Each structure stands twice: as C-alpha cells, then as structure tokens.
Amino acid sequence: MSKGNRDRKAAQARRIVEQQKAADKRRKVTIWTTVAVFAVLIVAGGIGWGVLANQDKKTEASQVTTPSVAVDEGTAFAVGSGPVTVDLYEDFMCPICNEFEQQTGSTIDKMVTDKRITVRYHPVAILDEASNGTKYSTRSAGAAAAAAQDGKFTEYHKVLYANQPEEGSDGLTDAKLIELGKSVGLGTTFEAAVNDKTYDNWATKVTETFASRGYNGTPTIVVNGKQVEGPNNTLPTTAVFEQAVQAAEG
C-alpha cells in the first residue's frame, strides 16, 4: 500500500473515531438533558401533586358537616353535666366496645344521673375494612351523629349496640340504620341524613383526631385526661372505671 493510501486510510479512521466520539457526546448530552427534564417534571409534578393534595384536603375539609351539638372540637357528643369528664372513643362494629357497654354502661348512666360525670362519646371508624367494603363503621358513626343532631344520641347509641352486627360481616344496611332510628323516635330529618351520608366525612375527621391524639384502639376510655385500662392494656372492669372516676373526683 502506498504512503498516500495509508494516509487516506488513517485520516478516514480518525474521522470515524471523531464521529463516534461526537455521537457519544451527543448521546450523553441528550441523556442528561432528558434526565434533567424528567427531574424537573418530577419536581413540578410533585409540587403539582402537593398543591392538588392540599386542595383536596381543603375540599374535603370544606365538605365536612359538623353537627352543631358536637363538643370537643366538634368530635363528640356530651351526655351529663358532672364535673368529671369521661371521653369514650368507640367503633360501633367493635365487639369489645359492646362488651364495655354491656358491662359498664349502666354504671355510666347512673353516674350521669347522679351528676358525677359528663361523658363525651366519640364515634370513630377504625373497622371499615371489617365490613366487606360497606364501611359500616363510618356509616353507623354518621348515623349516630344524625341522631345526636336530632336529640336522640343516647337512645340511638343503645339501640346500635343492641343490634350490633358481627365483625367481618357486611354490617347493617342504611335501611336498617334508619329503621332503628325510627324505633327510638327519629324521623325524616334523620332518615335524610343517613341516606345522604351527611355526617360520613365528619366521622372520618373524628377518626383522624382520635389518631392524632395518640390512640389506636377501641374502646379507649379517658377520665379527666388519663387513659383507663385494665392489667396489660386490657379492657378495664367496672370496678377499675369506678376507681378512676373516684380518683378524679378527689
């Protein structure tokens, strides 16, 4: 091969190498540009999602209908006028809540009658997933709120526990919740609130407040700000509850 041919071949090889290098450089620039754009989109998307999420929260908050009779930041219904405050967080599908109601409910009623305690009932919904997608905990809490708004919370509270469905079942239908309401004297306003799910978002708000206060199980019984439990975090007996009230009375 002549020197001229060798020079041409070498020059051609250098051009190919340079072209490859240039192509590699362009690919790298394109890749990093794409990554940068993607990152910007992610950030922008994140900001957008955050804004939308906040908007959704604001929308949800604006859609919460709080019963005018609710107390404690709109999360509970007060029964009684005694000096000792008893906060009772309960889920109407919770069998242990019903156990506490059957065990200690009459004692609580007497303490209310004797003007020793004020009970603040907080209907929460932590067992929605235990009703096969019907959200019974939320629906029953919303129905209880409707009953409270119409002045029949205590009566409805008792009839709900007397007809408590099994955990893991579909729960009671809205029609049954309305039927139970009628059995204690509730009327068309209550029926409309249950059908329209007027207070269902409120039940969610109460549950969120319950969690934000550090509680995670029902029933949670609190006497003058102190949680009352039996040994090893068990359900307190009536005697233990009475002792807690007596201690609060001083």
Side-chain angles (χ1 to χ4, degrees):
M1 182 182 294
S2 67
K3 183 177 182 299
N5 286 336
R6 286 198 301 271
D7 290 343
R8 282 194 296 274
K9 292 284 186 182
Q12 185 177 8
R14 283 195 298 271
R15 282 197 300 273
I16 292 173
V17 170
E18 292 300 324
Q19 288 171 355
Q20 288 175 338
K21 288 181 178 179
D24 286 341
K25 185 176 181 180
R26 284 195 299 274
R27 278 197 293 272
K28 289 176 182 177
V29 170
T30 302
I31 290 170
W32 284 109
T33 301
T34 302
V35 169
V37 170
F38 187 62
V40 169
L41 289 174
I42 289 175
V43 172
I47 293 171
W49 181 87
V51 170
L52 289 174
N54 286 333
Q55 288 176 341
D56 287 343
K57 288 180 181 178
K58 289 177 181 178
T59 300
E60 289 176 4
S62 67
Q63 292 174 345
V64 172
T65 301
T66 301
S68 62
V69 295
V71 299
D72 190 20
E73 300 178 6
T75 68
F77 304 111
V79 177
S81 57
V84 175
T85 300
V86 176
D87 286 287
L88 178 55
Y89 298 86
E90 56 186 355
D91 186 311
F92 289 114
M93 183 163 255
C94 165
I96 309 302
C97 294
N98 199 359
E99 182 181 340
F100 183 73
E101 170 66 18
Q102 302 311 316
Q103 166 195 286
T104 310
S106 59
T107 298
I108 290 174
D109 291 344
K110 188 174 187 313
M111 288 181 173
V112 166
T113 300
D114 293 343
K115 297 185 178 180
R116 293 177 62 191
I117 63 174
T118 296
V119 188
R120 300 193 299 194
Y121 290 94
H122 304 254
V124 301
I126 63 173
L127 291 175
D128 269 345
E129 293 184 2
S131 56
N132 302 322
T134 72
K135 295 187 176 181
Y136 177 70
S137 295
T138 291
R139 291 186 298 108
S140 57
Q149 186 65 19
D150 284 359
K152 293 282 186 178
F153 176 80
T154 299
E155 296 88 341
Y156 196 67
H157 180 270
K158 290 186 182 300
V159 80
L160 277 179
Y161 276 130
N163 292 271
Q164 186 184 58
E166 290 186 5
E167 186 176 351
S169 71
D170 291 347
L172 305 181
T173 63
D174 286 351
K176 183 63 177 178
L177 291 173
I178 291 168
E179 179 186 321
L180 293 177
K182 289 180 178 178
S183 76
V184 297
L186 290 162
T188 55
T189 304
F190 169 79
E191 181 176 358
V194 173
N195 283 328
D196 295 342
K197 304 190 183 307
T198 302
Y199 299 110
D200 283 17
N201 284 343
W202 170 85
T204 300
K205 175 188 173 184
V206 174
T207 306
E208 290 171 351
T209 301
F210 166 75
S212 72
R213 291 176 177 178
Y215 305 130
N216 55 21
T218 54
T220 292
I221 303 114
V222 182
V223 176
N224 270 13
K226 295 182 180 181
Q227 188 170 351
V228 180
E229 296 178 305
N232 301 315
N233 306 116
T234 56
L235 182 70
T237 63
T238 300
V240 168
F241 175 76
E242 288 179 319
Q243 289 167 7
V245 172
Q246 289 170 2
E249 288 174 323

